[in-house]
Amino acid sequence: MSKSTVDDSLLKQLFDDMAFQDVKMTNGMFEVNGQPGENEDVIIQGFNSHLACIPSDFDGLVLYTFRYSCGVRLVRSDEVGDEDASPFFEVMGEFEASYLAQHEYEQPILDAFGRAEVGMQVWPYWREFVQSSANRMGIHELRIGSFPRPEVQA
């Protein structure tokens, strides 16, 4: 994804204008494929990503629905970066976060907002889903920390 420069004053206006409404989980998956051996070298991989922003009219305001995806998996250390690796466990989730605004904004500024702010709203829901799913899978030591806040840029 290429990055372009966004006017800081426009970004500030967007942050001030957006009123958070809610978060909904739209898809979730967890899978267990065994447990690592006692001395097996493993690593936890994670990702989070702003996928899209869909604007719609809402009683004279603009309703922005941001789609966001998160995932975490446990793999052998020598399988890091291997898309075809068979993880010991994997948890994935997709969310929609909704905001109301008085103004319409261009896609680059919405993408910057999606990367910087939406993840913070989704993260508590994601953390709870991962931790409760991991506990149900018998993986009690997995903990997801606080949101890794990126720099605000487009």
Side-chain angles (χ1 to χ4, degrees), residues 99-121:
Y99 297 78
L100 281 175
Q102 294 182 13
H103 303 95
E104 291 187 30
Y105 296 94
E106 297 293 323
Q107 197 61 50
I109 194 81
L110 292 168
D111 289 342
F113 181 83
R115 287 190 305 273
E117 183 66 20
V118 174
M120 286 189 43
Q121 300 294 340

Side-chain angles (χ1 to χ4, degrees), residues 21-53:
Q21 299 301 298
D22 64 6
V23 171
K24 296 175 186 160
M25 184 170 199
T26 58
N27 193 11
M29 179 278 297
F30 63 89
E31 182 177 346
V32 179
N33 299 310
Q35 296 286 332
E38 188 174 316
N39 295 321
E40 197 156 13
D41 193 20
V42 295
I43 188 165
I44 295 176
Q45 295 179 309
F47 76 88
N48 61 82
S49 177
H50 159 64
L51 300 174
C53 177

